[in-house]
Coordinates of all heavy atoms in Angstrom, one line a residue:
V1 N 9.3 -3.6 7.0 CA 8.5 -2.6 6.5 C 9.4 -1.3 6.2 O 9.2 -0.5 5.2 CB 7.3 -2.2 7.4 CG1 6.6 -1.0 7.0 CG2 6.3 -3.4 7.4
G2 N 10.3 -1.1 7.1 CA 11.2 0.1 7.0 C 12.1 0.0 5.8 O 12.3 1.0 5.1
T3 N 12.6 -1.2 5.5 CA 13.4 -1.4 4.3 C 12.5 -1.2 3.1 O 12.9 -0.5 2.0 CB 13.9 -2.9 4.3 OG1 14.8 -3.0 5.4 CG2 14.8 -3.0 3.0
I4 N 11.3 -1.7 3.0 CA 10.4 -1.5 1.9 C 10.2 0.0 1.6 O 10.2 0.5 0.5 CB 9.1 -2.2 2.1 CG1 9.4 -3.8 2.1 CG2 8.1 -1.9 1.0 CD1 8.1 -4.5 2.4
Q5 N 10.0 0.7 2.8 CA 9.7 2.1 2.6 C 10.8 3.0 2.0 O 10.7 3.7 1.1 CB 9.3 2.8 3.9 CG 9.0 4.2 3.9 CD 8.6 4.8 5.3 OE1 8.6 4.1 6.3 NE2 8.2 6.0 5.3
N6 N 12.0 2.4 2.5 CA 13.3 3.3 2.1 C 13.5 3.0 0.6 O 13.8 3.9 -0.3 CB 14.4 2.8 2.9 CG 14.5 3.4 4.3 OD1 13.8 4.3 4.5 ND2 15.2 2.7 5.2
E7 N 13.3 1.8 0.1 CA 13.5 1.4 -1.3 C 12.5 2.0 -2.2 O 12.8 2.4 -3.3 CB 13.6 -0.1 -1.5 CG 14.7 -0.9 -0.7 CD 16.0 -0.5 -1.4 OE1 16.1 -0.4 -2.6 OE2 17.1 -0.3 -0.6
A8 N 11.3 2.0 -1.7 CA 10.2 2.6 -2.5 C 10.4 4.1 -2.6 O 10.2 4.6 -3.8 CB 8.8 2.4 -1.8
E9 N 10.8 4.8 -1.6 CA 11.0 6.3 -1.8 C 12.1 6.5 -2.6 O 12.0 7.6 -3.4 CB 11.3 6.8 -0.4 CG 10.0 6.9 0.5 CD 10.3 7.6 1.9 OE1 11.5 7.8 2.2 OE2 9.3 7.8 2.6
A10 N 13.2 5.8 -2.6 CA 14.3 5.9 -3.5 C 13.9 5.9 -5.0 O 14.6 6.4 -5.9 CB 15.5 5.0 -3.1
K11 N 12.9 5.1 -5.3 CA 12.4 5.0 -6.7 C 11.2 5.8 -6.9 O 10.6 5.5 -8.0 CB 12.2 3.4 -6.9 CG 13.5 2.6 -6.8 CD 13.2 1.1 -7.0 CE 14.6 0.4 -7.1 NZ 15.4 0.6 -5.9
G12 N 10.8 6.7 -6.1 CA 9.7 7.6 -6.4 C 8.4 7.0 -6.1 O 7.3 7.5 -6.6
Y13 N 8.3 5.9 -5.1 CA 7.0 5.3 -4.8 C 6.7 5.7 -3.4 O 7.5 6.1 -2.6 CB 7.0 3.8 -5.0 CG 7.0 3.4 -6.4 CD1 8.1 3.4 -7.2 CD2 5.7 3.1 -7.0 CE1 8.0 3.1 -8.6 CE2 5.7 2.7 -8.4 CZ 6.8 2.6 -9.1 OH 6.8 2.2 -10.5
Y14 N 5.4 5.5 -3.0 CA 4.9 5.7 -1.7 C 4.4 4.3 -1.3 O 3.9 3.6 -2.0 CB 3.9 6.8 -1.6 CG 4.3 8.0 -2.3 CD1 4.0 8.2 -3.7 CD2 5.0 9.1 -1.6 CE1 4.4 9.3 -4.3 CE2 5.3 10.2 -2.2 CZ 5.1 10.3 -3.6 OH 5.4 11.5 -4.2
I15 N 4.4 4.0 0.1 CA 3.8 2.8 0.5 C 2.6 3.2 1.5 O 2.4 4.2 2.2 CB 4.8 2.0 1.5 CG1 5.2 2.5 2.7 CG2 6.0 1.6 0.6 CD1 5.9 1.6 3.7
M16 N 1.7 2.2 1.4 CA 0.5 2.4 2.2 C 0.3 1.0 3.0 O 0.2 0.0 2.4 CB -0.8 2.7 1.4 CG -2.0 2.6 2.0 SD -3.6 2.8 1.0 CE -3.3 4.5 0.6
L17 N 0.2 1.2 4.4 CA 0.1 0.0 5.2 C -1.3 -0.4 5.2 O -2.1 0.6 5.4 CB 0.6 0.2 6.6 CG 2.1 0.2 6.9 CD1 2.5 0.5 8.3 CD2 2.7 -1.2 6.5
I18 N -1.6 -1.6 5.0 CA -3.1 -2.1 5.0 C -3.2 -3.3 5.8 O -2.4 -4.3 5.8 CB -3.6 -2.4 3.5 CG1 -3.3 -1.4 2.5 CG2 -4.9 -2.9 3.5 CD1 -3.5 -1.6 1.1
G19 N -4.1 -3.1 6.8 CA -4.4 -4.3 7.7 C -5.0 -5.5 6.7 O -6.0 -5.3 6.1
G20 N -4.5 -6.7 6.8 CA -4.8 -7.7 5.9 C -5.7 -8.8 6.5 O -5.9 -9.8 5.7
E21 N -6.1 -8.8 7.7 CA -6.9 -9.9 8.2 C -8.2 -10.1 7.4 O -8.7 -11.2 7.2 CB -7.2 -9.7 9.7 CG -6.0 -9.8 10.6 CD -6.0 -11.0 11.2 OE1 -5.7 -12.1 10.8 OE2 -6.1 -11.1 12.4
N22 N -8.8 -9.0 7.1 CA -10.0 -9.0 6.3 C -9.7 -8.9 4.8 O -9.3 -7.8 4.3 CB -11.0 -8.0 6.9 CG -12.4 -8.0 6.2 OD1 -12.6 -8.0 4.9 ND2 -13.4 -8.1 7.1
I23 N -10.1 -9.9 4.0 CA -9.9 -9.9 2.5 C -10.6 -8.7 1.8 O -9.9 -8.0 1.1 CB -10.1 -11.2 2.0 CG1 -9.2 -12.3 2.5 CG2 -10.0 -11.2 0.4 CD1 -7.8 -12.3 2.0
Q24 N -11.7 -8.5 2.2 CA -12.6 -7.4 1.5 C -12.1 -6.1 1.8 O -12.1 -5.2 1.0 CB -14.0 -7.6 1.9 CG -15.0 -6.7 1.1 CD -14.8 -7.1 -0.4 OE1 -15.0 -8.3 -0.8 NE2 -14.6 -6.1 -1.3
H25 N -11.6 -5.8 3.1 CA -10.8 -4.6 3.5 C -9.7 -4.3 2.5 O -9.5 -3.1 2.0 CB -10.5 -4.7 4.8 CG -9.7 -3.5 5.2 ND1 -10.3 -2.2 5.5 CD2 -8.4 -3.4 5.6 CE1 -9.3 -1.3 5.9 NE2 -8.2 -2.0 5.9
V26 N -8.9 -5.3 2.2 CA -7.7 -5.1 1.4 C -8.2 -4.8 0.0 O -7.6 -3.8 -0.7 CB -6.9 -6.4 1.3 CG1 -5.7 -6.3 0.3 CG2 -6.3 -6.8 2.7
V27 N -9.2 -5.5 -0.5 CA -9.7 -5.3 -1.9 C -10.3 -3.8 -2.0 O -9.9 -3.0 -3.0 CB -10.9 -6.2 -2.2 CG1 -11.6 -5.8 -3.6 CG2 -10.3 -7.7 -2.3
D28 N -10.9 -3.4 -1.0 CA -11.6 -2.0 -1.0 C -10.5 -0.9 -0.9 O -10.7 0.1 -1.7 CB -12.5 -1.8 0.2 CG -13.8 -2.7 0.1 OD1 -14.2 -3.2 -1.0 OD2 -14.4 -3.0 1.2
I29 N -9.6 -1.0 -0.1 CA -8.5 0.0 0.0 C -7.7 0.0 -1.3 O -7.3 1.1 -1.7 CB -7.6 -0.3 1.3 CG1 -8.4 -0.1 2.6 CG2 -6.4 0.6 1.2 CD1 -9.0 1.3 2.9
A30 N -7.2 -1.1 -1.7 CA -6.4 -1.2 -2.8 C -7.1 -0.7 -4.1 O -6.5 0.0 -4.9 CB -5.9 -2.6 -3.1
S31 N -8.4 -0.9 -4.2 CA -9.1 -0.4 -5.4 C -9.4 1.1 -5.2 O -9.2 2.0 -6.2 CB -10.5 -1.1 -5.4 OG -10.4 -2.6 -5.6
R32 N -9.8 1.5 -4.0 CA -10.0 3.0 -3.8 C -8.8 3.8 -4.1 O -8.8 4.9 -4.7 CB -10.5 3.3 -2.4 CG -11.0 4.6 -2.1 CD -11.4 4.7 -0.7 NE -12.4 3.7 -0.3 CZ -12.5 3.1 0.9 NH1 -11.7 3.4 1.9 NH2 -13.5 2.1 1.1
W33 N -7.6 3.5 -3.8 CA -6.5 4.2 -3.9 C -5.6 3.8 -5.1 O -4.6 4.4 -5.3 CB -5.5 4.0 -2.6 CG -6.1 4.8 -1.5 CD1 -7.2 4.4 -0.5 CD2 -5.9 6.2 -1.2 NE1 -7.3 5.3 0.4 CE2 -6.7 6.4 0.0 CE3 -5.1 7.2 -1.7 CZ2 -6.7 7.7 0.6 CZ3 -5.2 8.5 -1.1 CH2 -6.0 8.7 0.1
N34 N -6.2 3.0 -5.9 CA -5.6 2.5 -7.1 C -4.2 2.1 -6.9 O -3.1 2.6 -7.8 CB -5.7 3.6 -8.2 CG -5.3 3.3 -9.6 OD1 -5.5 2.0 -9.9 ND2 -4.8 4.1 -10.4
V35 N -3.8 1.4 -6.0 CA -2.4 1.0 -5.7 C -2.0 0.2 -6.9 O -2.6 -0.6 -7.5 CB -2.3 0.1 -4.3 CG1 -2.8 0.9 -3.2 CG2 -3.0 -1.2 -4.4
E36 N -0.6 0.4 -7.2 CA 0.0 -0.3 -8.4 C 0.4 -1.9 -8.1 O 0.5 -2.6 -9.0 CB 1.2 0.4 -8.8 CG 0.9 1.8 -9.3 CD 1.9 2.5 -10.1 OE1 2.9 1.7 -10.7 OE2 2.0 3.7 -10.1

């Protein structure tokens, strides 16, 4: 996760940690925040 964050920031992106046990939760969060 630390490596992903560093690489993302270097390219002008932000990361959002999402708990993934519940599929619908991932869908809701990803849609609400329009993750790329």
Side-chain angles (χ1 to χ4, degrees):
V1 172
T3 301
I4 293 172
Q5 181 178 6
N6 291 337
E7 291 297 319
E9 288 182 353
K11 294 175 172 58
Y13 285 84
Y14 310 90
I15 71 166
M16 174 184 288
L17 283 175
I18 305 173
E21 289 261 67
N22 186 306
I23 296 289
Q24 191 57 51
H25 174 72
V26 177
V27 173
D28 292 342
I29 295 295
S31 301
R32 186 180 306 144
W33 288 89
N34 192 31
V35 302
E36 296 197 23

